[in-house]
Amino acid sequence: MATILHVDMDAFYASVELLHHPEWRGKPVVVGSGPHERGVVSTCSYEARRFGIHSAMPSRTAYERCPDAIFVRPHMELYQEVSDKVFEIFEHYTPYVEGVSIDEAFLDITGNLHLHGGDRARLGEALRKEIRETCGVTCSVGIAPNRLLAKIGSEQHKPDGLTLMPFEADAIAAFLAPKPIGILWGIGKKTEAVLRPYGLVTCGDLQRTPLRQLETILGSGATATTLQDYAFGRSDDHVYWETEDEKSVSREHTFGEDEYDRSVVRTKLLELVTEVGHRFRTERRWARTAKLKLRDADFNTITRQIPFETPARDDISFREKALELFDHEKIGSVRLIGFGVTNIQDSPDADGPTLFALPEDARREKRERLSAALDALRDRGLLS
């Protein structure tokens, strides 16, 4: 049986800011756009969350809820530096690491349990302690036989907690039975609204409902089967790790509930493109291919890719291809969106060096200089 860890850093951006501003500890800290600007909250400290502030909330609304909050622009270079250290620590425990985002990952520790006496909780606590002592930030960890349960586990005792989930089928079903259906992947407010009139509000309700009846309610056999599997805690136990030879840089975002507003999804995609570009340019390299990943409310996953006209490393080229891919897809609802670049090379020349400068070289170099200038502004916290 697999043993999967889900590691979720606690209020990560805000926690890193507190490392540099210890005088802010215990105060509401909001990372994102300024309080009087058009823009949103990236994340916030737990003190700010007590005022109802949350990520993706307009910064102006956050200010209305807590005028005394400390608003700070993101410092992506600082966050990436700490994230790199955290991911290095992951590799002390297993080579099988799937980075979901800068502050979240799944780890397959099945083959390394013997190094900790076969004690899952002991391994999880050792990892949490090393992150806290080395990086100065905390994380919450869920340990389970699959991804879904590990993710649910990491949410049980936030912040700075560890949850060892049940591993036997009967115990898993019993644990989930009283939980609200909203903890399951793919169930947002709209799906909850569809199920509520039928008295389906807990995982136990989904467990007890005949599959044929659930199919009728949801109008989709595949969706009904998937949700009932999730209600029993049955899910994918595979960690999608990448080797260095595969060479790709990507970022993903899972919405708290299914998102039907394409403008919201589009905005999030552009944020991911910026993160990928900033991360990609930490090394001298160029990409030949852009990739888009979409997952809808029915858990269907779409992946699309498109080549750049010439190898690229600038934000403009990344945005153009990301939007070209996204605008081509007629997807009604989005649960997850991701963007990445792959087919990496260490030269901007598609077919090897050339003796003469070409017009596209000047255009490419101009875009790269602009991206480098924007990176410098982001690193100094002058641009979100």
Side-chain angles (χ1 to χ4, degrees):
M1 179 180 292
T3 297
I4 308 298
L5 263 68
H6 181 257
V7 182
D8 193 5
M9 305 306 297
D10 299 319
F12 185 58
Y13 291 4
S15 296
V16 176
E17 292 294 342
L18 293 177
L19 293 178
H20 297 271
H21 296 278
E23 70 276 12
W24 292 351
R25 293 192 180 278
K27 299 179 181 180
V29 177
V30 178
V31 181
S33 298
H36 305 296
E37 300 175 356
R38 293 186 63 183
V40 298
V41 174
S42 293
T43 190
C44 61
S45 66
Y46 286 92
E47 290 80 5
R49 296 181 190 191
R50 297 188 186 117
F51 293 87
I53 299 173
H54 55 78
S55 62
M57 170 183 284
S59 294
R60 293 175 179 175
T61 303
Y63 177 76
E64 291 171 359
R65 296 192 177 187
C66 185
D68 295 328
I70 298 167
F71 285 79
V72 58
R73 290 185 177 278
H75 296 87
M76 293 307 302
E77 183 180 57
L78 295 178
Y79 311 151
Q80 189 64 61
E81 181 181 340
V82 177
S83 176
D84 289 344
K85 292 179 181 178
V86 170
F87 274 74
E88 287 177 8
I89 291 172
F90 292 160
E91 294 177 0
H92 297 170
Y93 296 84
T94 176
Y96 307 116
V97 178
E98 177 188 349
V100 178
S101 65
I102 192 173
D103 59 353
E104 180 184 2
F106 287 100
L107 285 66
D108 186 340
I109 61 169
T110 309
N112 290 29
L113 274 175
H114 67 283
L115 299 177
H116 295 264
D119 189 328
R120 297 181 175 104
R122 179 182 171 187
L123 186 150
E125 288 293 1
L127 182 146
R128 292 178 62 249
K129 180 181 179 182
E130 187 172 356
I131 290 174
R132 183 171 58 250
E133 294 180 350
T134 304
C135 304
V137 293
T138 64
C139 64
S140 296
V141 173
I143 306 177
N146 61 48
R147 295 160 59 89
L148 170 67
L149 293 173
K151 173 73 171 176
I152 291 174
S154 68
E155 297 290 335
Q156 296 302 300
H157 297 102
K158 287 186 72 71
D160 196 19
L162 180 142
T163 302
L164 180 62
M165 297 290 281
F167 273 69
E168 300 301 324
D170 290 345
I172 292 169
F175 175 88
L176 291 176
K179 302 293 185 183
I181 59 177
I183 70 169
L184 301 178
W185 282 335
I187 297 189
K189 291 181 179 179
K190 288 184 172 62
T191 306
E192 285 183 299
V194 171
L195 296 173
R196 191 178 301 114
Y198 297 91
L200 302 176
V201 296
T202 69
C203 294
D205 295 330
L206 288 178
Q207 293 171 6
R208 292 185 292 269
T209 303
L211 185 58
R212 185 70 60 86
Q213 181 181 345
L214 199 54
E215 291 174 359
T216 301
I217 294 171
L218 295 171
S220 169
T223 300
T225 300
T226 300
L227 288 188
Q228 194 165 70
D229 280 343
Y230 285 175
F232 280 103
R234 297 190 289 260
S235 176
D236 184 4
D237 66 356
H238 184 70
V239 168
Y240 296 88
W241 60 284
E242 293 183 344
T243 67
E244 291 184 1
D245 291 339
E246 289 174 306
K247 288 186 178 181
S248 66
V249 177
S250 62
R251 288 288 183 265
E252 295 180 356
H253 174 78
T254 300
F255 292 96
E257 57 186 72
D258 300 327
E259 183 57 66
Y260 291 81
D261 188 334
R262 286 185 67 88
S263 65
V264 171
V265 179
R266 209 170 191 265
T267 298
K268 177 54 66 175
L269 172 60
L270 292 177
E271 291 178 11
L272 296 176
V273 170
T274 298
E275 289 183 21
V276 168
H278 189 264
R279 173 62 176 162
F280 188 77
R281 288 186 294 276
T282 58
E283 298 180 19
R284 183 175 173 79
R285 53 188 173 181
W286 284 259
R288 301 188 64 156
T289 307
K291 299 178 67 175
L292 177 74
K293 180 178 179 180
L294 291 167
R295 181 171 297 143
D296 66 16
D298 292 325
F299 313 101
N300 299 309
T301 300
I302 300 170
T303 56
R304 299 286 186 264
Q305 64 182 44
I306 189 172
F308 295 105
E309 282 74 16
T310 59
R313 71 193 308 260
D314 64 275
D315 284 340
I316 297 174
S317 298
F318 287 7
R319 282 199 300 268
E320 287 176 348
K321 293 305 179 185
L323 294 177
E324 183 177 344
L325 289 167
F326 177 70
D327 291 341
H328 182 73
E329 296 300 325
K330 307 303 180 185
I331 185 171
S333 62
V334 176
R335 180 64 174 170
L336 174 147
I337 186 165
F339 174 77
V341 292
T342 187
N343 291 335
I344 311 301
Q345 59 187 54
D346 57 10
S347 166
D349 301 306
D351 301 304
T354 58
L355 296 176
F356 305 101
L358 300 174
E360 55 264 31
D361 292 337
R363 177 170 171 267
R364 172 183 55 76
E365 291 172 359
K366 182 178 180 180
R367 288 184 168 192
E368 290 176 3
R369 286 195 299 270
L370 175 59
S371 294
L374 293 176
D375 285 343
L377 291 174
R378 292 188 188 100
D379 293 342
R380 293 167 58 192
L382 300 178
L383 187 67
S384 59

